[in-house]
Each structure stands twice: as structure tokens, then as C-alpha cells.
């Protein structure tokens, strides 16, 4: 299966956290990281006053079930020291599952496509680098979605994908 993951960091060494998350994801059994977007810096959306984020989107190839993929993402978050204290607060790393093929999933623990992805420039901009014309399972073309008016900058070298 092809899936897209959204990664964000706004605490500590943000670029290092993204690279470490990419490296750890690629060591997870059943996950192969295929491509990575550029690194975007974005102002925080919602939540308390906090520092700017760095965001990337990864394209992965996976044999995992969607819930096992979520568990793998949560493991990598935990390995990078993510604690869940302030809701929508600062985080060393956040890993969201954006899309898995054209699956639609909505149960207590997992919603795919990610329900807020089309409201977030920090997801749309990097995703559009990897997919020129993404279409959601319900037929929504992300090209037609009005890009949210959120400041975003390209100011960092790309991450590297382990061989
Ligand atoms: P947020 O990313 O909205 O800031 P969290 O990272 O704390 O919040 O995620 C909270 C929960 O969201 C996770 O424990 C997970 O069960 C759930 N969740 C639901 N759908 C998804 C998804 N598509 N990707 C990642 N987490 C998801
Ligand atoms: Mg999350």
C-alpha cells in the first residue's frame, strides 16, 4: 500500500527530530520510506502560544494494516520523547497518517484521510510536492481546495532518505 505521513516538530532541534523520525520510520518492519517533501516552516495553527513548526510529508510503501501503521507512528513518536500533555501544544514530533491508498477509515482511534488535512497549509504544500493532483476517496480534489492563508517558508535543506 502507498501511504502519506505528515510530520511536524516545534520543540528542540526541529530539523534533527524530523530526520530522526524519518530514520526510525524506515527501520520499522513493513515500512519503506520512498520520498520526502521539502522542509516547510510554518506558523503554529491553534493551540497555545508556541514556536514555529517544521513540517514534511513522506510517501511510504507499507504492508502494515492501518492500525499497525498508526502503532508504528506512535512508537516513533515515543522514541523521540513525545509526551502528550498539552492538547495541540508544542511537540518534539507529531506523525499523522494523511492518506492510505484510497481507503476511508473512521473508528475510535484512526480517521483516514486525516480529517483536518485540507485546512492545513503545512500538510497541503508538502503533499502537493509529492502528488501533483491529490484526490481524496470522497472525490474531493485538493487542487480545488482554497489554500489556507497561513505563512509558510522554505528555508532548510531537504532530509535524506536512508538507502
Ligand atoms: P494531533 O495530531 O491532532 O495534534 P495527537 O498527535 O495527540 O493529536 O493524536 C491524537 C490521536 O489521534 C492519536 O492517538 C490517534 O489515535 C488519533 N488519530 C486519529 N486519526 C489519526 C491519523 N490519521 N493519524 C494519526 N493519528 C490519528
Ligand atoms: Mg498527531
Amino acid at each position: 500500500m502507498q501511504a502519506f505521513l505528515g510530520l511536524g516538530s516545534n520543540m528542540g532541534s526541529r530539523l534533527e527530530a524530523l530526520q530522526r523520525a524519518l530514520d526510525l520510520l524506515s527501520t520499522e518492519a513493513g515500512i519503506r520510506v520512498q520520498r520526502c517533501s521539502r522542509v516547510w516552516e510554518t506558523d503554529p495553527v491553534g493551540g497555545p502560544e508556541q514556536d514555529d513548526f517544521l513540517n514534511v510529508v513522506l510517501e511510504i510503501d507499507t504492508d502494515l494494516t492501518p492500525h499497525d501503521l498508526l502503532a508504528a507512528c506512535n512508537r516513533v513518536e515515543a522514541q523521540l520523547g513525545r509526551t502528550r500533555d498539552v492538547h495541540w501544544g508544542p511537540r518534539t514530533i507529531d506523525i499523522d497518517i494523511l492518506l492510505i491508498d484510497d481507503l476511508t477509515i473512521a473508528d475510535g482511534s484512526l480517521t483516514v484521510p486525516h480529517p483536518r488535512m485540507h485546512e492545513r497549509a503545512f500538510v497541503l504544500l508538502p503533499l502537493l510536492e509529492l502528488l501533483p493532483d491529490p484526490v481524496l476517496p470522497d472525490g474531493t480534489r485538493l487542487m480545488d481546495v482554497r489554500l489556507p492563508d497561513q505563512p509558510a517558508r522554505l528555508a532548510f535543506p531537504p532530509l535524506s532518505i536512508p538507502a
Side-chain angles (χ1 to χ4, degrees):
M1 287 185 305
Q2 181 194 49
F4 291 86
L5 306 179
L7 278 61
S9 170
N10 80 333
M11 266 179 88
S13 309
R14 301 169 300 165
L15 197 60
E16 263 175 55
L18 291 179
Q19 182 67 59
R20 281 205 63 210
L22 189 163
D23 293 347
L24 287 169
L25 283 166
S26 64
T27 65
E28 284 282 333
I31 296 181
R32 291 161 297 278
V33 178
Q34 309 282 36
R35 295 192 295 155
C36 182
S37 72
R38 294 294 306 258
V39 179
W40 291 84
E41 186 172 50
T42 57
D43 293 11
V45 180
E49 176 82 18
Q50 53 187 312
D51 292 338
D52 292 349
F53 278 82
L54 294 188
N55 293 96
V56 294
V57 168
L58 304 182
E59 177 191 338
I60 65 167
D61 175 55
T62 184
D63 322 310
L64 299 177
T65 65
H67 286 89
D68 286 347
L69 178 60
L70 178 64
C73 293
N74 290 341
R75 254 193 314 277
V76 171
E77 289 179 339
Q79 280 172 284
L80 285 174
R82 165 104 189 247
T83 53
R84 293 174 188 277
D85 27 21
V86 184
H87 186 52
W88 287 0
R91 60 272 309 269
T92 45
I93 195 77
D94 179 43
I95 305 176
D96 290 331
I97 300 174
L98 306 174
L99 298 168
I100 306 176
D101 285 340
D102 48 13
L103 294 182
T104 302
I105 303 166
D107 63 32
S109 56
L110 182 61
T111 307
V112 176
H114 193 285
R116 290 171 294 281
M117 63 184 285
H118 52 278
E119 300 163 9
R120 296 174 165 180
F122 63 80
V123 172
L124 294 176
L125 292 167
L127 181 65
L128 285 163
E129 290 184 81
L130 302 181
L131 284 179
D133 187 8
V135 181
L136 301 185
D138 70 0
T140 305
R141 283 182 80 177
L142 291 181
M143 291 262 291
D144 296 335
V145 169
R146 197 184 132 77
L147 201 61
D149 192 13
Q150 292 153 9
R153 306 165 277 285
L154 273 174
F156 295 87
L159 303 181
S160 47
I161 298 178

